[in-house]
Amino acid sequence: MSGSQTPTGGFVRRIGLFQATAINMSQMCGIGPFVTIPLMVGAFGGPQAIIGFVAGALLALADGLVWAELGASMPGSGGSYVYLRQAFQYRSGRLMPFLFVWTAMLFIPLIMSTGVVGFVQYLGYLAPHMGKTTGDLIGLAMIALVIGLLWRGIEHIAKITAVMWVVMILSVVLVIAAAASDFSAHLAFTYPAHAFSLTTSHFWVGFAAGLTIGIYDYLGYNTTAYMGAEIKNPGRVLPRSIIYSICGILVIYLLLQIGTLGVIDWHRMTDPHDIASTSVASAVLEKNWGKGAADTVTVLILITAFASVFTGLLGGSRVPYDAARDRVFFRPYGTLHAKHRFPVWGLATMGVVTAIGFLIGRHTDLQTLIQLLTTVMVIVQALAQILAVGVLRRRQPGLRRPYRMWLYPAPAVLALIGWLVIYGYADKNSPGRHPIEWSLAWVALGCVAFVLWSRYEKVWPFGPREISEEYLEGADPDAAPEPAATA
């Protein structure tokens, strides 16, 4: 399973360590840091907000080691869908992979909707008199444009995404360079009284909010795990791509956070009437390099936002398609467009949810939207996947594990605590919004959908469990799984 050109389910292993790390980083660093720096400062109440990005990196690293062990052991296409199917098939049949796809149908487009919110926010710098309704219509038009481009089956997508990646890197580098050109250490490192007081509830509520924002900015460190069937020597490359990408993005985020704090007074970032609260990167460029430079980089940031939505919906729409093809989700989602060969139902559904999420983010606030998408993601993907490591070590001790988690189970426990902190404080950080209740309701609705689907498909609990251990030593991962009824 380590051959560089071994076909796996129709894929060829052609992606090496450099490309894999770049893929992760390109998904991690989109519009996120440009719109969340003010949110992070507001959560902590000062320049000590840098704690949030460091805490987010530590949680991403701990959780990344969970992904690394699972991905190296089962390097197929699908990521969480594969791991949850393998770990929980013995007790609950296809319930867990079904629920993963069900929740992914919500949290993936919600992530994309934050990109659209960021797009409209930065457009407001170029058009300061743009009204709320106009912004809503522009955001919806952007979503329609993305869906329209993907609906036509754009050719040369790899080249398009490469150009967008270059634009994103250029915008980040220019913001960092502008901040460094006239940096004030006094602004960046002068903290309010009791900023680091660990004995106050205010600090820990702010820390939980900052951790949520931080991990949102690192989402994408697991992208290569979803492409395991295309990674060369996945036992070595996949874990390293996760670790290297998190460390690389941490450096970029620290430079952005400290740089902006050294140019813009942090109080401006928390003032909803100040442009620095919605377009902080543009404010940095304007102050240090002038309005012309700020306008130019703002255009690059708008392209970055568009790119993040474009690539996210491109990849996300394939998740329900793969599951439906494997008979783990509703069959219509396994349908491709007759001419352009893209997953029709997946793209259409995620497009609609992205539009709804955008309107929620515009008429509540971006932080509430981030809270909602993270709480939905935590229950089925994050927590269940941590449990999956232990379940598989017990259920499939013969599974080939080219990478075993360092200091097991310490990283898994640390990741578990981090995700529980995010989940437990979600309602306190979003008063009146109830993201926990909404996430539980969505999962409960998914369980109802699973019962209806499994009854129609005549699988567990309305049929025998089908045990498929294709990744065990000696099994052929390319062969169709042999169902085996169990009591």
Side-chain angles (χ1 to χ4, degrees):
M1 294 185 54
S2 61
S4 61
Q5 298 297 326
T6 302
T8 305
F11 294 103
V12 178
R13 300 194 183 279
R14 288 182 283 198
I15 300 175
L17 179 58
F18 177 79
Q19 297 96 323
T21 304
I23 288 170
N24 282 349
M25 292 181 69
S26 67
Q27 290 298 305
M28 296 164 72
C29 186
I31 187 66
F34 295 118
V35 296
T36 57
I37 286 175
L39 295 181
M40 191 75 83
V41 172
F44 280 92
Q48 69 272 25
I50 194 172
I51 296 172
F53 285 114
V54 175
L58 291 176
L59 175 54
L61 277 171
D63 193 57
L65 297 184
V66 173
W67 282 88
E69 176 166 325
L70 294 172
S73 302
M74 295 168 285
S77 175
S80 292
Y81 156 70
V82 173
Y83 316 147
L84 299 181
R85 183 186 65 195
Q86 287 294 305
F88 297 104
Q89 61 184 328
Y90 303 98
R91 295 281 187 182
S92 56
R94 304 180 188 183
L95 172 63
M96 292 307 295
F98 181 96
L99 285 179
F100 163 71
V101 179
W102 177 264
T103 53
M105 295 286 288
L106 183 61
F107 71 73
I108 290 177
L110 286 183
I111 294 172
M112 298 308 105
S113 64
T114 63
V116 185
V117 171
F119 180 93
V120 175
Q121 284 185 189
Y122 271 84
L123 186 62
Y125 177 80
L126 299 178
H129 301 297
M130 179 178 63
K132 193 81 171 180
T133 302
T134 302
D136 291 347
L137 293 175
I138 289 174
L140 293 174
M142 173 187 168
I143 296 169
L145 176 60
V146 170
I147 299 300
L149 290 174
L150 294 175
W151 201 273
R152 292 179 60 84
I154 292 293
E155 296 181 356
H156 310 300
I157 282 179
K159 293 181 179 179
I160 293 173
T161 53
V163 171
M164 291 178 175
W165 159 243
V166 171
V167 171
M168 181 200 67
I169 289 296
L170 181 61
S171 60
V172 169
V173 169
L174 288 173
V175 173
I176 292 173
S181 66
D182 190 11
F183 177 80
S184 170
H186 175 74
L187 278 178
F189 301 113
T190 298
Y191 306 104
H194 311 296
F196 300 98
S197 178
L198 304 183
T199 58
T200 62
S201 60
H202 175 76
F203 175 86
W204 290 110
V205 172
F207 176 83
L211 182 62
T212 304
I213 297 166
I215 196 62
Y216 160 77
D217 281 325
Y218 287 96
L219 290 179
Y221 58 86
N222 49 15
T223 302
T224 47
Y226 287 94
M227 306 170 63
E230 301 169 75
I231 304 294
K232 292 180 182 177
N233 192 10
R236 175 180 179 276
V237 169
L238 204 152
R240 294 188 182 195
S241 70
I242 292 173
I243 295 168
Y244 292 171
S245 61
I246 294 171
C247 293
I249 290 295
L250 172 61
V251 172
I252 292 174
Y253 286 172
L254 291 182
L255 291 174
L256 279 173
Q257 176 76 72
I258 296 172
T260 54
L261 286 169
V263 177
I264 304 296
D265 188 308
W266 69 267
H267 294 89
R268 290 184 58 192
M269 299 186 197
T270 60
D271 181 356
H273 303 293
D274 195 307
I275 195 67
S277 67
T278 56
S279 308
V280 67
S282 302
V284 169
L285 266 295
E286 181 177 340
K287 183 174 181 180
N288 283 1
W289 288 359
K291 187 68 166 60
D295 288 347
T296 301
V297 174
T298 300
V299 171
L300 296 180
I301 292 173
L302 293 176
I303 296 173
T304 297
F306 184 89
S308 67
V309 177
F310 180 88
T311 56
L313 286 178
L314 169 67
S317 62
R318 271 63 179 170
V319 172
Y321 168 75
D322 290 336
R325 296 278 290 182
D326 286 346
R327 293 182 63 241
V328 185
F329 203 62
F330 297 108
R331 292 188 183 188
Y333 284 92
T335 304
L336 290 177
H337 190 277
K339 180 179 179 182
H340 298 300
R341 311 303 294 170
F342 65 87
V344 177
W345 281 91
L347 182 59
T349 303
M350 290 194 175
V352 170
V353 177
T354 299
I356 295 171
F358 163 70
L359 294 175
I360 292 173
R362 285 279 291 170
H363 293 274
T364 55
D365 56 77
L366 184 59
Q367 187 166 341
T368 296
L369 190 57
I370 293 173
Q371 294 281 1
L372 178 59
L373 72 89
T374 49
T375 51
V376 171
M377 185 181 68
V378 164
I379 302 176
V380 175
Q381 184 180 54
L383 299 185
Q385 199 161 273
I386 291 169
L387 295 176
V389 174
V391 170
L392 285 167
R393 286 198 176 199
R394 181 170 57 89
R395 285 284 191 175
Q396 297 186 17
L399 182 65
R400 181 175 176 270
R401 292 177 173 84
Y403 169 80
R404 296 177 71 90
M405 185 187 302
W406 301 334
L407 303 176
Y408 176 82
V413 173
L414 179 61
L416 180 67
I417 293 171
W419 289 118
L420 288 175
V421 167
I422 288 174
Y423 194 79
Y425 278 84
D427 279 353
K428 291 186 178 181
N429 288 318
S430 299
R433 306 300 185 192
H434 308 295
I436 290 179
E437 287 82 350
W438 281 106
S439 66
L440 291 174
W442 184 254
V443 173
L445 187 60
C447 291
V448 173
F450 173 77
V451 170
L452 298 175
W453 171 83
S454 59
R455 184 177 181 83
Y456 178 81
E457 295 287 347
K458 295 181 175 57
V459 297
W460 184 92
F462 300 99
R465 294 187 187 93
E466 297 177 2
I467 306 302
S468 171
E469 299 176 329
E470 66 263 33
Y471 290 97
L472 282 176
E473 199 71 46
D476 180 4
D478 298 319
E482 294 289 340
T486 60

